[in-house]
Amino acid sequence: MHGKEAVLSFDLEENDFLYRVRRDSRIVHVSVLHGDIILPRERTESSLILSHLRGVPKWYENWTTLTVRKGLDGVIQSAVDEFPPHPLNTKLLDSQTPNYFNILILERLHRISDRVSLREVTTYASLVSRGFCFAPRVLGYVYEEQKDPTIAFLMEYIVGTTPRAKEDFGACEKTI
C-alpha cells in the first residue's frame, strides 16, 4: 500500500487519458486507453481518479508507467512500463539560463490549465526573446527524479483580463 498519493496533472482525450500521479516520493504515469474505465464526471477529480486506479491490476506493484485497458472480454487489464514518461523538449524553447525545480518540492497554488501546448509555450518564449512585454516569461523547468527528462515548465503569471473574441479584436490586432 502506498501512503501519499495525488494526481498532479492529466491530459484527457476522448477515449484516452494520461495521468501523472505522485506516489509517496515518486512520480508515475498512467495511460487509460478506454473511455468507460473512468466516468466522464470523475476524470478530473484526484480522489475519484485514484479510487478507480487503486482497483486496477498491478497498481500496488513497483513501476514507472502503467497502461490500463479493457481486454476482449471486457475485463480491465494493465501493463507495466509499456511506454516511457513523456518529457518536454526544452531545446525548442529559447531560454538563456533555465532554472530547474523538482516537482516533489513545489506546492501547487493555482491551476490555470493542463492544456497548454508546447507550441503555445514556444510562441511565448519567441515573443519574449523579441522584446514583446505582454507575453509571460518561462521561469524554469520542472523535473521528476532527474533534470533530464524535463516534464513541465513554470511561467510568469500575468494579471489582467482575457481578451474576448469580438470586443477585443481591434486591441489585439493593434498590439500584434
Side-chain angles (χ1 to χ4, degrees):
M1 183 100 164
H2 290 272
K4 186 175 182 179
E5 291 181 326
V7 175
L8 299 176
S9 67
F10 48 84
D11 184 13
L12 307 176
E13 296 294 331
E14 188 173 330
N15 285 305
D16 131 24
F17 322 126
L18 181 64
Y19 295 102
R20 179 175 282 113
V21 178
R22 178 184 184 151
R23 294 177 81 185
D24 294 323
S25 62
R26 293 194 61 232
I27 306 295
V28 296
H29 307 259
V30 182
S31 176
V32 179
L33 299 180
H34 287 88
D36 61 349
I37 291 176
I38 300 177
L39 299 173
R41 66 181 178 276
E42 299 176 350
R43 293 177 186 160
T44 59
E45 175 61 42
S46 184
S47 62
L48 297 174
I49 295 164
L50 289 170
S51 70
H52 285 287
L53 295 178
R54 287 180 183 128
V56 168
K58 303 180 184 176
W59 178 257
Y60 293 103
E61 294 178 13
N62 187 22
W63 44 269
T64 301
T65 65
L66 189 68
T67 304
V68 180
R69 60 174 62 87
K70 282 192 174 181
L72 295 175
D73 56 2
V75 175
I76 295 176
Q77 304 171 342
S78 61
V80 170
D81 297 329
E82 200 173 68
F83 66 95
H86 303 291
L88 175 68
N89 186 351
T90 57
K91 291 177 181 73
L92 297 176
L93 300 175
D94 182 20
S95 181
Q96 306 299 349
T97 54
N99 296 309
Y100 287 90
F101 302 92
N102 184 333
I103 194 168
L104 295 175
I105 63 168
L106 294 176
E107 179 183 347
R108 178 180 300 172
L109 300 176
H110 179 70
R111 175 183 295 184
I112 296 172
S113 171
D114 283 316
R115 293 297 214 161
V116 177
S117 71
L118 181 58
R119 180 181 303 156
E120 185 175 352
V121 175
T122 304
T123 301
Y124 290 148
S126 178
L127 288 170
V128 168
S129 72
R130 288 173 172 80
F132 186 74
C133 63
F134 297 113
R137 294 177 297 121
V138 174
L139 301 176
Y141 302 110
V142 180
Y143 64 91
E144 292 174 342
E145 294 172 3
Q146 301 173 10
K147 287 185 182 175
D148 187 28
T150 300
I151 57 150
F153 49 87
L154 298 174
M155 294 192 73
E156 177 182 31
Y157 182 72
I158 297 178
V159 178
T161 60
T162 304
R164 293 170 304 282
K166 292 181 182 177
E167 300 86 19
D168 295 328
F169 182 75
C172 289
E173 186 175 50
K174 181 180 175 185
T175 300
I176 291 173

